[in-house]
Amino acid sequence: MFVGGGSAGTAGGIKVTTLGLLTFIVWAELRGESRVNIGHRRLTEAAQRQAVSLTVLSVGLVALFTYVLLVLTPHSLDRVLFEVVSAFGTTGLSVGVASVVSPVAQVLLTLLMFIGRIGPLTLGSALALKERTRRYELPEEDVIVG
């Protein structure tokens, strides 16, 4: 449910194309390639950053709302997580949590439905359109990752 419809669809959540790009990005990283190639084309670094940023922010948002609803409700993690991911993906599925929680939790789920539908689309557009050039470069630093 976290992955919504196609790139031009009206489904919530992240798009199928974003998941596809992430798959190619991870595959290139596992193979030790410095560039991401799909078919006979190279994926731009801007598209890579956009896909990763959108997904990380979406996962963080789902995690945050899951935590808040776990604090506000007596329900278990699996039920709350299902409800939150369903709200973010605007799928309309429920395990009955939304109907028995407090009005504050219902407002939060409604807000998440709105963010899940409008947020990734707007954020993706904003990331794609906003590119700022720096007039200077900072020195590079190697950081141990992992």
Side-chain angles (χ1 to χ4, degrees):
M1 293 185 295
F2 183 74
V3 179
S7 57
T10 59
I14 66 170
K15 302 302 178 202
V16 175
T17 52
T18 304
L19 180 65
L21 290 179
L22 284 174
T23 304
F24 282 107
I25 292 168
V26 170
W27 181 248
E29 190 65 34
L30 289 174
R31 295 177 62 184
E33 296 176 352
S34 60
R35 305 243 194 276
V36 178
N37 298 317
I38 302 173
H40 297 288
R41 301 282 185 205
R42 183 172 46 90
L43 187 63
T44 65
E45 289 183 16
Q48 293 175 47
R49 283 193 316 270
Q50 183 180 1
V52 170
S53 298
L54 185 64
T55 304
V56 167
L57 289 172
S58 296
V59 168
L61 191 65
V62 167
L64 175 69
F65 272 78
T66 300
Y67 176 75
V68 170
L69 286 177
L70 279 172
V71 170
L72 292 176
T73 66
H75 298 287
S76 63
L77 174 63
D78 60 337
R79 296 173 66 83
V80 170
L81 184 61
F82 185 93
E83 204 74 32
V84 167
V85 172
S86 175
F88 181 76
T90 62
T91 59
L93 299 174
S94 179
V95 289
V97 171
S99 61
V100 295
V101 294
S102 67
V104 172
Q106 288 178 348
V107 167
L108 286 175
L109 284 171
T110 305
L111 178 66
L112 187 60
M113 288 178 202
F114 183 74
I115 292 171
R117 173 59 198 107
I118 301 299
L121 181 67
T122 305
L123 181 62
S125 298
L127 288 173
L129 297 176
K130 182 180 180 181
E131 191 165 325
R132 188 177 69 167
T133 57
R134 288 194 174 206
R135 297 179 190 207
Y136 61 92
E137 286 292 326
L138 297 172
E140 290 185 1
E141 180 69 32
D142 287 331
V143 178
I144 299 173
V145 179

